[in-house]
Amino acid sequence: MNREKTAIEAGGVMLVRSSNARGRARVTHAVVVVFLEFFAWGLLTTPMLTVLHETFPQHMFLMNGLVQGVKGFLSFLSAPLIGALSDVWGRKSLLLLTVFFTCAPIPFMRINPWLYFALISVSGIFAVTFSVIFAYVADITEEHERSTAYGLVSATFAASLVTSPAIGAYLSANYGDSLVVLVATVIAVIDIGFVFFVVPESLPDKMRLTSWGFPISWEQADPFVSLRRVGKDTTVLLICVTVFLSYLPEAGQYSSFFLYLKQVIDFSPAAIAAFIAMVGILSIVAQTLLLSVFMRTIGNKNTVLLGLGFQILQLVWYGLGSAPWMMWAAGTVAAMSSITFPAISTLVSRSASADQQGVVQGMITGIRGLCNGLGPALYGFIFFMFNVELNDVRPAGGRAESFQTSFVPGPPFLFGAFAALSALFVAVFLPEHRPADIKSGSAHKPASPPQGAGPLATPTSDPEDIEPLLQDSSM
């Protein structure tokens, strides 16, 4: 009898979550993990710009885009597998892997810069912390609580960037980059230890690998199969296209914007840190207080549309602005656009059953990973094509060597605005309420899939059918 139960569990049929386990796992655990990981990386904002210039003195935008592009493409390839495995092995073990490998490149910034950038590229295989975190949150929250919880997690990302770049810039100026890297490494180790020793499993009765065979199929882990199956449901297709078009410019912007502020707009390291802090604080307000108000008053779909509208305005302003004050003004709009991600995440998570949240998160994270590959490379290429490049760091007391200007100071941002506008047009056709039949074609959701079918029982409830996003932020 026990063997039969084990076999059924390995097949992905049984997933029992006790109320006691749900009481132990808290959204607070997810918040702390996200905060520590991105606080460590935020400290490296100023040293990263220096190392990038020293390692690639020619074509910094282009090389930065290629490095981030490889990382993003690897995330796209691995996200469905990691998402599916988190439904089988549980969230904690996969969270430990993603946090460890995402933070692994940090100490190599001072040890060997070339190895550092190589490790950043390879770390894309596990750079999907948000997909596991969102599945973790979905495990321990009810549907009506989810938008608030997702907003809190996304706001934590912004909160981690409020002070860390400024602290990193201060330490770098007064004590050198080596100390900054050391502090970031220590915080990363603390984060890994927190996951290992403190974070409880949100799926206490999770299915495990046994001698009965591998519990998921390679088809479920194939990102290209995921993309093909997206078209089987119109609503899923609309969500995925919206995610792709809206996150493509965000990923490109995130990879190059601070370098753009320093090299083109002439921001000092202190000004960059202050800019990040301002946008971070406003993003926290937008993703906590304002998000819940918008969700209650104008609904889930209209909140997504509003966030996309702010994103379009922000990108146009970045693209046409050439003065520092314009960047500061556009930054306030960028903070408002941060409501898009948790709003989409809430919309999508409602369509996934309790035992498929990791698979669902993995699919959309895979699409975002694809954007993380295409966006930075595309932005770097557009900067290169328009001769927006600096080969010399600004001399003391003066402006850096001027670049060949064009009528549009930031061409990639205008491209991004067009992509976000396209996302807005697609999102108009999204339904306000996601029916329960998104996976099965009927309002009835089966209590359990057929034995041996794996975490996703039917073709309509595949990892390729739905999934929320992460955000990561446009910083």
Side-chain angles (χ1 to χ4, degrees):
M1 188 67 182
N2 291 335
R3 290 176 56 129
E4 291 178 357
K5 180 179 179 182
T6 302
I8 293 175
E9 289 177 341
V13 177
M14 295 189 63
L15 182 59
V16 181
R17 296 180 298 169
S18 68
S19 58
N20 291 336
R22 286 173 61 89
R24 290 195 302 269
R26 310 272 184 193
V27 175
T28 307
H29 294 113
V31 165
V32 172
V33 172
V34 170
F35 180 85
L36 291 176
E37 178 177 321
F38 290 98
F39 188 89
W41 279 105
L43 288 172
L44 300 177
T45 302
T46 298
M48 167 74 93
L49 298 178
T50 302
V51 171
L52 186 63
H53 180 271
E54 292 175 349
T55 308
F56 307 111
Q58 303 291 327
H59 310 311
M60 284 182 294
F61 285 113
L62 182 61
M63 295 306 300
N64 181 59
L66 291 176
V67 169
Q68 298 297 328
V70 172
K71 176 182 178 180
F73 188 70
L74 291 177
S75 296
F76 161 70
L77 294 177
S78 65
L81 175 60
I82 291 179
L85 287 178
S86 76
D87 288 331
V88 177
W89 291 345
R91 316 300 182 201
K92 179 172 180 173
S93 57
L94 271 297
L95 193 59
L96 187 62
L97 282 176
T98 59
V99 173
F100 176 82
F101 284 102
T102 300
C103 295
I106 291 177
F108 291 93
M109 177 178 281
R110 298 306 298 170
I111 297 174
N112 187 324
W114 283 95
L115 183 58
Y116 166 72
F117 286 110
L119 288 176
I120 285 182
S121 300
V122 176
S123 70
I125 297 174
F126 291 97
V128 290
T129 301
F130 264 105
S131 68
V132 183
I133 283 290
F134 273 15
Y136 189 97
V137 171
D139 292 337
I140 58 179
T141 57
E142 301 299 332
E143 185 175 303
H144 68 276
E145 304 170 328
R146 214 159 283 163
S147 63
T148 301
Y150 283 164
L152 180 61
V153 172
S154 296
T156 301
F157 171 82
S160 68
L161 298 177
V162 169
T163 57
S164 57
I167 294 174
Y170 173 80
L171 293 176
S172 177
N174 291 276
Y175 303 102
D177 289 346
S178 296
L179 180 63
V180 181
V181 175
L182 176 61
V183 173
T185 302
V186 170
I187 293 175
V189 171
I190 293 174
D191 194 18
I192 295 169
F194 180 81
V195 175
F196 187 81
F197 293 107
V198 180
V199 173
E201 177 55 62
S202 61
L203 296 177
D205 300 310
K206 61 184 181 293
M207 297 167 285
R208 298 177 182 275
L209 290 176
T210 69
S211 59
W212 294 85
F214 203 73
I216 63 173
S217 67
W218 289 114
E219 183 175 323
Q220 291 171 333
D222 187 342
F224 299 100
V225 171
S226 299
L227 291 179
R228 289 195 297 269
R229 292 185 180 178
V230 160
K232 290 187 176 181
D233 185 282
T234 303
T235 305
V236 173
L237 178 61
L238 290 174
I239 290 177
C240 290
V241 173
T242 301
V243 169
F244 179 81
L245 292 175
S246 63
Y247 194 66
L248 183 66
E250 186 176 344
Q253 174 182 325
Y254 178 75
S255 70
S256 61
F257 188 61
F258 299 142
L259 185 60
Y260 178 78
L261 288 179
K262 178 183 179 182
Q263 298 291 89
V264 178
I265 308 299
D266 198 32
F267 268 43
S268 66
I272 292 176
F275 181 91
I276 295 172
M278 181 202 73
V279 176
I281 292 172
L282 294 178
S283 296
I284 294 171
V285 175
Q287 295 175 16
T288 53
L289 300 178
L290 296 182
L291 176 64
S292 60
V293 172
F294 290 147
M295 293 287 282
R296 288 195 308 268
T297 55
I298 65 176
N300 202 157
K301 172 185 173 180
N302 289 331
T303 302
V304 173
L305 296 178
L306 181 63
L308 290 173
F310 281 121
Q311 184 183 14
I312 294 168
L313 178 58
Q314 159 217 339
L315 289 167
V316 170
W317 212 334
Y318 281 155
L320 298 179
S322 57
W325 73 266
M326 295 180 179
M327 299 297 105
W328 288 97
T332 62
V333 181
M336 290 300 301
S337 71
S338 66
I339 64 174
T340 305
F341 168 58
I344 291 180
S345 298
T346 302
L347 182 65
V348 181
S349 68
R350 291 172 177 171
S351 63
S353 61
D355 61 338
Q356 294 174 3
Q357 289 294 327
V359 167
V360 162
Q361 297 288 349
M363 191 192 76
I364 294 298
T365 300
I367 293 177
R368 289 172 65 89
L370 181 61
C371 293
N372 280 330
L374 296 177
L378 188 59
Y379 266 50
F381 180 72
I382 295 176
F383 273 128
F384 175 73
M385 291 297 295
F386 280 81
N387 297 314
V388 181
E389 189 69 68
L390 290 171
N391 297 326
D392 296 322
V393 178
R394 180 186 337 125
R399 185 178 177 87
E401 177 186 334
S402 62
F403 56 90
Q404 295 182 14
T405 59
S406 61
F407 177 74
V408 178
F413 301 111
L414 287 188
F415 164 81
F418 176 76
L421 180 62
S422 300
L424 180 65
F425 287 146
V426 173
V428 168
F429 297 97
L430 287 172
E432 173 60 43
H433 300 288
R434 301 269 299 156
D437 62 353
I438 184 169
K439 297 180 295 301
S440 60
S442 68
H444 171 69
K445 183 173 66 176
S448 63
Q451 179 174 349
L456 302 173
T458 63
T460 51
S461 61
D462 241 321
E464 296 81 282
D465 280 3
I466 5 177
E467 188 243 301
L469 189 48
L470 132 94
Q471 146 256 263
D472 123 37
S473 106
S474 68
M475 301 280 305

